[in-house]
């Protein structure tokens, strides 16, 4: 590994490691590009693909992201964008969970739903996408329906769970499992022009309280559906929350819920 | 008693944003939902003076009630 590090340092432009060199190093030293990225970050080299991150996140932050594992529960409208943004951010490992395959009616809004992926498992499409976007990120596909029976096992080793589900009752199961697993949860939900965002830390029961009186029925999405832009907005807000939790920075949407109304362009904070 | 009703997101469709109404004493959040033609399962959160309440909660003179729809898509 010392040889690899010496080679990387020789090739680096200042403290930036270019992608071509990251790739060459992987081939030359028979390691993965992911391993090269880890060695670079641990030794003061910044992979050049993250250079526009660096005024926000220093090398230690980028290394923290590299060492992070995030579960994305659902790979549809929200999940597709969440996975994309986590991969571009440099979150090292993403666990993507969804039992479904892509159907034609997904293509109006789901980032991963393209004609070539129709009939393909959503988690398989997510793995292929991440491999193209940022090969240094590991995506672990779980093609199962998340629930109380398998949830704890799926979340094992993760630092944060991002809710991209389309069912309120499964969301509440996710909240319970996060509680048991001592894991922060970022909740997002969408319907038409509207959405919600909230973040819950272990010991808090904001989500359970929010849905306490009627958890079994679906919401407004049943008759409104979802357009292309609402999932992208709410997914991005969720990723900002995940990023802050991983880096212990900023102020998360904690013990409060953000109501997002893109129709009247109103963002209202609800104390919970 | 007079209460101010604020509707949010999809609840505004074919209704209103803010309205003051004169309601009989003992009127609950659930009664108000019925009057507005909102089925209880459609409700996300009800707030009275910015505090989270359940549908059985009675309204009082001068209170501001905010209703947010339930949203569960992903």
């Amino acid at each position: 590994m010392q040889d690899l590090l010496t080679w990387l340092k020789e090739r680096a432009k200042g403290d930036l490691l270019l992608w071509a060199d990251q790739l060459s190093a992987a081939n030359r030293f028979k390691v993965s590009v992911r391993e090269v990225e880890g060695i670079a970050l641990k030794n003061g080299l910044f992979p050049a693909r993250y250079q526009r991150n660096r005024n926000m996140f220093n090398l230690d932050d980028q290394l923290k992201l590299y060492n992070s594992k995030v579960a994305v529960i659902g790979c549809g409208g929200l999940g597709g964008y969440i996975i994309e943004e986590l991969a571009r951010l440099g979150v090292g490992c993403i666990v993507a969970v969804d039992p479904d395959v892509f159907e034609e009616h997904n293509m109006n809004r789901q980032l991963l739903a393209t004609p070539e992926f129709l009939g393909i498992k959503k988690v398989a499409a997510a793995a292929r996408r991440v491999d193209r976007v940022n090969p240094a990120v590991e995506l672990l596909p779980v093609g199962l329906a998340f629930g109380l029976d398998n949830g704890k096992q799926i979340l094992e080793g993760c630092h944060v769970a991002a809710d991209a589900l389309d069912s309120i009752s499964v969301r509440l199961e996710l909240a319970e499992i996060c509680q048991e697993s001592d894991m922060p949860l970022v909740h997002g939900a969408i319907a038409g022009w509207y959405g919600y965002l909230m973040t819950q830390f272990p010991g808090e029961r904001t989500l359970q309280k929010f849905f306490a009186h009627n958890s079994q029925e679906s919401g407004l999405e049943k008759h409104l559906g979802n357009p292309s832009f609402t999932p992208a907005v709410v997914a991005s807000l969720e990723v900002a929350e995940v990023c802050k939790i991983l880096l212990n920075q900023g102020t998360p949407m904690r013990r409060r819920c953000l109501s997002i109304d893109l129709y009247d362009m109103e963002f209202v904070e609800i104390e919970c | 008693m007079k209460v101010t009703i604020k509707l949010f997101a999809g609840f505004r469709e074919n209704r209103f944003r803010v309205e003051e109404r004169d309601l009989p004493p003992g009127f609950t959040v659930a009664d108000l939902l019925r009057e507005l033609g909102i089925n209880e399962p459609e409700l996300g959160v009800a707030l009275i003076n910015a505090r989270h309440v359940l549908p059985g909660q009675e309204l009082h003179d001068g209170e501001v009630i905010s209703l947010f729809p339930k949203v569960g898509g992903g």
Side-chain angles (χ1 to χ4, degrees):
Chain A
M1 283 305 140
Q2 196 51 46
D3 290 352
L4 167 56
L5 182 58
T6 308
W7 192 88
L8 290 176
K9 283 188 167 164
E10 278 169 13
R11 294 294 182 111
K13 307 277 179 281
D15 65 349
L16 286 184
L17 173 64
L18 299 183
W19 173 248
D21 293 329
Q22 190 171 339
L23 201 57
S24 301
N27 289 329
R28 198 182 177 102
F29 294 91
K30 307 274 177 278
V31 292
S32 66
V33 285
R34 172 163 172 72
E35 286 171 279
V36 177
E37 186 155 309
I39 290 164
L41 285 166
K42 280 170 203 147
N43 290 282
L45 294 176
F46 215 89
R49 65 170 298 137
Y50 304 124
Q51 60 190 299
R52 290 290 189 270
N53 282 359
R54 69 186 308 178
N55 291 340
M56 289 170 68
F57 312 125
N58 62 26
L59 196 79
D60 283 347
D61 295 333
Q62 198 66 54
L63 180 60
K64 240 187 237 175
L65 294 172
Y66 170 86
N67 285 322
S68 296
K69 186 174 176 182
V70 174
V72 182
I73 316 300
C75 298
L78 292 172
Y81 284 101
I82 293 173
I83 291 166
E84 176 88 6
E85 292 177 20
L86 290 175
R88 288 188 188 272
L89 191 61
V91 168
C93 184
I94 302 167
V95 180
V97 188
D98 201 303
D100 295 335
V101 297
F102 281 113
E103 296 179 61
E104 212 157 324
H105 59 82
N106 298 147
M107 285 199 292
N108 78 321
R109 68 193 184 285
Q110 300 190 12
L111 183 67
L112 299 166
T114 54
E116 63 165 334
F117 286 150
L118 288 178
I120 302 286
K121 273 261 194 192
K122 292 184 175 182
V123 291
R128 281 169 66 178
R129 175 72 187 172
V130 165
D131 196 47
R132 290 183 67 177
V133 167
N134 189 350
V137 171
E138 188 180 7
L139 186 130
L140 302 174
V142 180
L144 302 170
F146 185 93
L148 288 176
D149 53 331
N150 59 11
K152 203 161 181 183
Q153 202 184 340
I154 289 171
L155 295 187
E156 207 179 314
C158 292
H159 300 99
V160 186
D163 164 17
L165 286 157
D166 60 1
S167 150
I168 290 169
S169 56
V170 184
R171 274 191 172 94
L172 291 172
E173 293 182 9
L174 171 61
E176 287 304 326
I177 295 162
C178 284
Q179 205 71 255
E180 279 175 40
S181 308
D182 217 23
M183 193 179 299
L185 167 66
V186 177
H187 159 72
I190 49 172
W193 296 90
Y194 316 112
Y196 288 116
L197 173 80
M198 71 174 93
T199 291
Q200 165 164 314
F201 280 73
E204 298 167 356
R205 300 184 67 80
T206 326
L207 193 70
Q208 289 93 324
K209 196 176 146 192
F210 200 84
F211 290 116
H213 60 283
N214 54 6
S215 62
Q216 292 311 308
E217 321 249 349
S218 54
L220 213 54
E221 67 284 357
K222 205 170 161 189
H223 73 272
L224 287 181
N226 278 302
S228 63
F229 45 83
T230 313
V233 170
V234 177
S236 297
L237 295 173
E238 287 191 71
V239 174
E241 290 291 274
V242 170
C243 177
K244 291 186 296 183
I245 294 168
L246 293 175
L247 299 179
N248 195 23
Q249 293 181 7
T251 310
M253 198 69 202
R254 197 172 174 182
R255 293 198 182 92
R256 57 209 169 112
C257 174
L258 185 68
S259 161
I260 298 143
D261 176 346
L262 301 176
Y263 192 72
D264 288 328
M265 217 38 105
E266 272 187 11
F267 295 77
V268 178
E269 201 177 299
I270 305 168
E271 293 296 329
C272 295
Chain B
M1 61 173 177
K2 281 207 167 95
V3 296
T4 303
I5 303 155
K6 288 187 178 177
L7 300 182
F8 291 87
F11 281 168
R12 289 177 177 171
E13 283 173 34
N14 302 317
R15 295 191 190 90
F16 54 87
R17 281 179 181 223
V18 188
E19 210 173 272
E20 195 172 86
R21 285 202 184 176
D22 212 345
L23 301 173
F27 215 71
T28 63
V29 174
D31 294 331
L32 178 63
L33 290 173
R34 246 189 313 278
E35 187 166 295
L36 294 170
I38 296 170
N39 294 319
E40 212 173 298
E42 293 175 56
L43 176 69
V45 173
L47 306 177
I48 291 182
N49 296 347
R51 291 198 71 95
H52 194 167
V53 295
L54 292 175
Q57 179 69 40
E58 271 187 29
L59 297 164
H60 300 97
D61 190 53
E63 285 178 339
V64 177
I65 170 134
S66 305
L67 301 173
F68 294 82
K70 185 160 67 176
V71 163

